[in-house]
Amino acid sequence: MAPTPVVRIAIVGGGCAGMAAAWALARRNLVASPEVLYDITVYEKDVRLGGKGASFRDEAGRIREHGLHIWLGFYENAFRVMREAYGEARELGFGPDAADPAMRLPLGSFDEAFTPESHVGVASRAADHTWQSWTGWLPPMKGQPGEPLDEASNPFTLAAYLSRCVALSLALMHSLVGPVEPAEPGQPRPEGRSSLDEALDLDFSEGRSASPQALVERMARWLEVGLLTTAAGVMQGAMIVERWLQAYQSNPQFSFTVLDYLEALARQTRKRLARLVASDAQVRRKTEIIDLIMTIVVGLYRDRVLFDQALGLDRIDDIDCKQWLLKHGAMRSSVDSPFVTGLYDLAFCYEAGDRERPALAAGQALRGALRMFFTYRGSIFWRMNSGMGETIFAPLYRVLGSRRRRVDGREVDNPLPVKFALCHGLSEIGFAAGPGAGSDWWIDRLTFKVSGEIAPGQALDKFGCWPEQPPIGKVRAATRVLPRRAAGAAPDAPGFDGVVMALGIDDFRRVVQRSPRGAEFLAALPQWARMFQHLATIGTQAAQVWLDVELPALGWTRGPVLMSGYEQPLETWADMTHTLPSEAQWRQALALPAGPADRARTVIYFCGILADRDIGTREWLDAADPAALKSKRGALEGQVHDHLTEMLRSRMKPFWPSAYQVAAAPQGPQAQPGRKKTAAAPTPLDRLVGRSTSSDPQARQQHIQANWYGSARYTLALPGTAKHRISPLERSVVNMTIAGDWTHCGFNEGCVEAAVMSGLLASHAISGHPALEDIIGYDHP
């Protein structure tokens, strides 16, 4: 029997996209009697996997992150990969209790790794310009992310999105314009029903499952007789829209009638709610949500998005989301509401990092918001119970490199464990093409700058975490050239057959432009030049602080929360105290003596934009001098420290008021005569304001991160740029595909889910696995 052919794949970049591609390709190897086997090597420039999701442990076991990482409940593809990884890890015996250090992981199962979080918050200015907090609890939804979807639970259609939107709007309308009224003064109405409830029953008992045509005819009748002029009429009118969306088919036959009806409904809704806007903050927030929902329904219909099966929401990606909402009649107060601001803040959607230049493609903004609020399963947010590096990348690293695998309930030999070449930064691409115009292009060689060698068993520490300083061995050569294998080469011949470029777009662009035939390549394939020109990234900044007091002692009594929408420079903060047990377990596992780190009771993460004006000119994105880069990093980290100091010194007062109530020195009869006045007692934050320079790692209560260069930067979804993204399915370079949240992958915004979807598409482009229909949301309209 002839041996199974082997295809060698080089994956350049060990972040979410590269690891998703490796995971899918490696699982393809495990099918019964595979037609081909994939020999995979992941090349990563850092000492650890993860990219923007990398984290490590310092000498005291504290988790040091790239930034604030929270998973959303609609990350179906990312959660599915992690369910598979943790399922295999558990069945293979990997976990915190494994006797063999090479099999240890800090978390042993999916349920140990993730915790649902339903508490959300946004900050906004009150009428007196002071900052206030709005927090809410979004109820758990049916199912769990990453579990199989069925017909009843698959929400990935525009009509399903909008139907849920209108249902929410109805609930909010009822709470505002339909309070329960007593039949007699001081007496409740029977069964607590309001007059509005009874009005809604009129003329709607029939037709709850009516056809779209019947519902449109009813819309026309309502317009003719002017029934959308009362609170009850507005409510019933919205119910008709909800039913129409549930029965909707892509048929523009009644478009004008429906559009007139939707515009009249939106106009009457705004009129009915206008008098409520100024009454109080809670009512104003509800009216803003209703206004936004009605605007979205009208706008998607008016712009024919509902009837464009080819483009769907991509049809309106050339305009900014705020401008699109205003164009379709949204109130300015709704567009400037903390909900919309929070949407921009969570995705750092400001051109060049300038808060005065909000920029987010409308189609992608709506896709993200609709998925976020109306397709999540289990919980809207999911917290990782340890650092992202060890929660996500450690189990992938362990399982992919194992010689035993589990698939379909059976344990099998892993024919080709994935190999990892850390400390390998891509420095040059050898492009090749045929002699004539229009000839195919391919990659002939890859050149890596090698900064060290890390043995496979040394990448993780004894607890299964990424250490701050892994043991790095000396390298034989500072560069490594990997050639393309010739057709018919011997099975053991060195080199690669195919490449997945899974590094960040700034790093990829820089390498292409510096490669010997890079300019020729971009001239021959101008779509790549356009992508590099139009796709933008921005820097981000992050900080962590460990406190010896619990948050209620500082004045925050609303429980753990992710708070966004605050002012720059650190506009988002989150209580991440749930990670403290993992830090303590690490110290216990390594038998460290008790120290200051054990006194921590709270961990707070901050993050925000690092604007281009703070970084300097774009030439820094193309810099190569290591000394200059190190100097720049130090200066920027100093800026981030100053920003954190300002936050702790004064700007957290709206959230932690008790932290700034300083005890005064004794006065009056209680003061001892003849003694000088003592200084005011320090606040719980005072010792954190200064830069932590202690030589004792246990005493370092802060972590500062400036993500300003290369793959550490965040990819923006600016208006008019999505059309320039290239899909992993495009094979304009014969033996190369791409992966990353900067590709055209079905969710064109920087996040874990986009990166994973892109990695799965790259695997499909190479192997046909997974099937496109198995990549959830890829073909979203």
Side-chain angles (χ1 to χ4, degrees):
M1 183 175 180
T4 304
V6 174
V7 176
R8 292 221 183 124
I9 302 296
I11 299 177
V12 184
C16 287
M19 293 301 287
W23 182 259
L25 286 169
R27 282 181 72 86
R28 180 65 178 168
N29 286 344
L30 305 180
V31 302
S33 303
E35 297 178 356
V36 65
L37 289 173
Y38 296 96
D39 186 358
I40 305 158
T41 302
V42 176
Y43 296 88
E44 168 56 46
K45 66 179 180 180
D46 205 347
V47 297
R48 59 188 67 91
L49 297 175
K52 286 188 282 290
S55 69
F56 62 88
R57 295 295 185 102
D58 67 12
E59 295 177 46
R62 290 193 181 95
I63 299 164
R64 308 285 182 165
E65 290 274 12
H66 170 279
L68 173 61
H69 298 292
I70 300 284
W71 284 35
L72 275 72
F74 73 85
Y75 286 5
E76 294 289 347
N77 298 286
F79 273 115
R80 185 181 66 204
V81 169
M82 295 318 301
R83 285 187 182 277
E84 293 170 350
Y86 273 106
E88 280 201 58
R90 185 181 64 253
E91 293 180 5
L92 291 170
F94 294 113
D97 299 324
D100 183 354
M103 298 178 67
R104 285 188 193 140
L105 290 171
L107 302 161
S109 69
F110 179 88
D111 292 333
E112 292 177 15
F114 293 93
T115 297
E117 176 59 73
S118 298
H119 194 196
V120 299
V122 289
S124 63
R125 287 194 183 275
D128 61 359
H129 301 291
T130 60
W131 283 96
Q132 61 183 8
S133 305
W134 181 92
T135 59
W137 184 82
L138 294 174
M141 300 297 286
K142 180 181 177 182
Q144 297 290 305
E147 292 182 343
L149 286 165
D150 54 34
E151 288 296 327
S153 61
N154 188 352
F156 291 97
T157 68
L158 275 177
Y161 286 169
L162 296 182
S163 176
R164 295 186 184 197
C165 279
V166 175
L168 171 63
S169 184
L170 277 165
L172 294 173
M173 285 181 192
H174 194 279
S175 70
L176 291 173
V177 301
V180 174
E181 304 160 355
E184 299 177 10
Q187 299 296 320
R189 292 179 63 82
E191 301 177 356
R193 291 173 59 77
S194 70
S195 57
L196 177 60
D197 292 315
E198 295 170 358
L200 288 173
D201 286 339
L202 299 176
D203 195 37
F204 204 75
S205 57
E206 59 168 314
R208 287 185 177 271
S209 59
S211 68
Q213 180 173 348
L215 290 168
V216 171
E217 290 172 353
R218 178 170 297 179
M219 292 178 183
R221 187 165 64 251
W222 274 56
L223 284 171
E224 290 173 0
V225 298
L227 292 175
L228 296 174
T229 56
T230 65
V234 168
M235 288 281 289
Q236 190 170 356
M239 292 176 71
I240 294 176
V241 173
E242 181 188 14
R243 302 302 179 196
W244 176 76
L245 287 168
Q246 290 173 348
Y248 159 81
Q249 300 292 330
S250 298
N251 185 346
Q253 179 179 357
F254 306 103
S255 58
F256 293 110
T257 297
V258 176
L259 179 58
D260 290 344
Y261 179 86
L262 291 175
E263 291 179 333
L265 179 62
R267 184 168 55 252
Q268 289 296 329
T269 300
R270 294 188 183 104
K271 183 182 297 184
R272 289 282 154 187
L273 298 177
R275 61 183 177 83
L276 301 172
V277 171
S279 57
D280 65 62
Q282 293 298 322
V283 169
R284 185 168 65 254
R285 296 292 172 253
K286 292 181 180 180
T287 64
E288 288 165 352
I289 294 173
I290 295 171
D291 181 39
L292 291 171
I293 289 173
M294 297 307 299
T295 301
I296 290 171
V297 174
V298 170
L300 293 182
Y301 203 98
R302 181 187 287 169
D303 284 349
R304 316 301 290 164
V305 175
L306 283 170
F307 303 114
D308 192 331
Q309 295 300 299
L311 288 176
L313 288 167
D314 292 348
R315 184 183 178 101
I316 55 173
D317 264 341
D318 282 345
I319 183 174
D320 172 67
C321 180
K322 289 188 174 185
Q323 295 302 317
W324 185 84
L325 291 169
L326 291 171
K327 169 186 172 183
H328 292 293
M331 296 182 293
R332 168 58 74 174
S333 59
S334 301
V335 174
D336 293 336
S337 70
F339 303 110
V340 177
T341 300
L343 182 68
Y344 277 66
D345 285 355
L346 286 175
F348 306 110
C349 296
Y350 299 92
E351 193 166 1
D354 185 349
R355 292 277 289 197
E356 301 302 317
R357 300 164 63 190
L360 175 58
Q364 178 55 39
L366 295 184
R367 181 181 291 118
L370 292 170
R371 286 196 190 184
M372 178 177 178
F373 289 105
F374 298 107
T375 73
Y376 71 85
R377 293 198 288 168
S379 178
I380 187 170
F381 292 124
W382 290 79
R383 294 177 179 268
M384 290 171 283
N385 290 329
S386 192
M388 185 165 175
E390 58 220 38
T391 304
I392 306 302
F393 296 98
L396 291 172
Y397 174 80
R398 289 281 199 228
V399 174
L400 286 172
S402 174
R403 294 191 175 277
R404 300 290 293 169
R405 294 290 303 269
R406 295 281 301 188
V407 59
D408 298 330
R410 57 190 175 87
E411 186 169 329
V412 299
D413 289 326
N414 187 359
L416 289 170
V418 175
K419 297 178 286 295
F420 297 91
L422 301 175
C423 303
H424 279 60
L426 184 67
S427 60
E428 187 178 291
I429 300 171
F431 290 107
S439 298
D440 289 335
W441 283 80
W442 61 88
I443 294 179
D444 209 37
R445 71 181 184 281
L446 299 171
T447 302
F448 295 93
K449 181 179 179 181
V450 184
S451 57
E453 293 286 352
I454 300 177
Q458 302 296 318
L460 300 179
D461 64 22
K462 295 180 180 180
F463 193 58
C465 298
W466 305 94
E468 182 174 9
Q469 295 294 337
I472 301 177
K474 293 182 179 180
V475 296
R476 298 176 183 175
T479 61
R480 178 181 178 186
V481 178
L482 198 67
R484 176 173 63 95
R485 297 204 308 170
D492 58 349
F496 62 88
D497 299 303
V499 179
V500 179
M501 288 294 180
L503 63 172
I505 189 168
D506 281 326
D507 283 346
F508 186 30
R509 174 181 58 83
R510 183 169 52 252
V511 173
V512 169
Q513 291 176 342
R514 291 179 176 176
S515 295
R517 297 188 66 181
E520 184 182 351
F521 166 77
L522 294 175
L525 299 174
Q527 66 268 36
W528 292 90
R530 288 192 296 269
M531 182 177 69
F532 289 148
Q533 177 186 354
H534 291 285
L535 264 63
T537 62
I538 60 168
T540 62
Q541 55 185 311
Q544 299 164 242
V545 295
W546 287 259
L547 300 167
D548 293 349
V549 296
E550 296 179 351
L551 277 188
L554 304 182
W556 181 264
T557 58
R558 303 190 190 186
V561 71
L562 169 67
M563 179 66 65
S564 188
Y566 198 33
E567 59 187 346
Q568 280 186 301
L570 294 167
E571 53 266 25
T572 300
W573 67 272
D575 179 5
M576 303 293 283
T577 305
H578 66 285
T579 60
L580 285 178
S582 180
E583 295 183 355
Q585 290 168 6
W586 186 93
R587 290 190 289 272
Q588 294 168 7
L590 274 65
L592 292 184
D598 294 295
R599 295 197 293 269
R601 296 293 177 267
T602 300
V603 184
I604 303 296
Y605 286 21
F606 298 91
C607 72
I609 294 167
L610 191 58
D612 285 359
R613 64 175 177 271
D614 296 325
I615 296 173
T617 61
R618 189 174 176 83
E619 66 189 28
W620 281 107
L621 301 181
D622 300 314
D625 180 21
L629 294 177
K630 182 177 180 180
S631 175
K632 188 67 173 181
R633 181 187 304 112
L636 291 172
E637 288 177 350
Q639 288 187 34
V640 179
H641 177 266
D642 292 342
H643 296 159
L644 176 63
T645 297
E646 182 185 2
M647 289 289 291
L648 298 175
R649 181 167 287 155
S650 61
R651 292 183 56 238
M652 290 303 290
K653 191 173 183 178
F655 312 108
W656 304 345
S658 299
Y660 301 90
Q661 296 174 0
V662 180
Q667 302 290 326
Q670 296 180 348
Q672 297 182 20
R675 296 194 61 173
K676 295 180 179 180
K677 291 183 179 181
T678 58
T683 74
L685 304 179
D686 281 346
R687 62 186 174 82
L688 293 176
V689 170
R691 184 186 294 274
S692 182
T693 57
S694 172
S695 59
D696 179 4
Q698 291 253 13
R700 299 173 192 158
Q701 302 284 70
Q702 302 176 8
H703 174 64
I704 301 297
Q705 189 84 20
N707 306 308
W708 65 283
Y709 182 74
S711 294
R713 291 171 63 88
Y714 184 87
T715 306
L716 294 173
L718 299 180
T721 62
K723 60 190 175 186
H724 298 296
R725 291 177 177 235
I726 294 175
S727 168
L729 301 179
E730 179 179 325
R731 301 304 295 272
S732 53
V733 182
V734 175
N735 62 342
M736 182 192 81
T737 184
I738 53 177
D741 61 11
W742 47 271
T743 66
H744 200 293
C745 61
F747 195 83
N748 297 328
E749 191 170 341
C751 67
V752 168
E753 178 72 349
V756 170
M757 291 172 68
S758 183
L760 299 179
L761 287 169
S763 174
H764 176 87
I766 294 170
S767 68
H769 174 80
L772 292 180
E773 57 267 25
D774 292 334
I775 303 176
I776 304 300
Y778 161 67
D779 58 348
H780 177 270

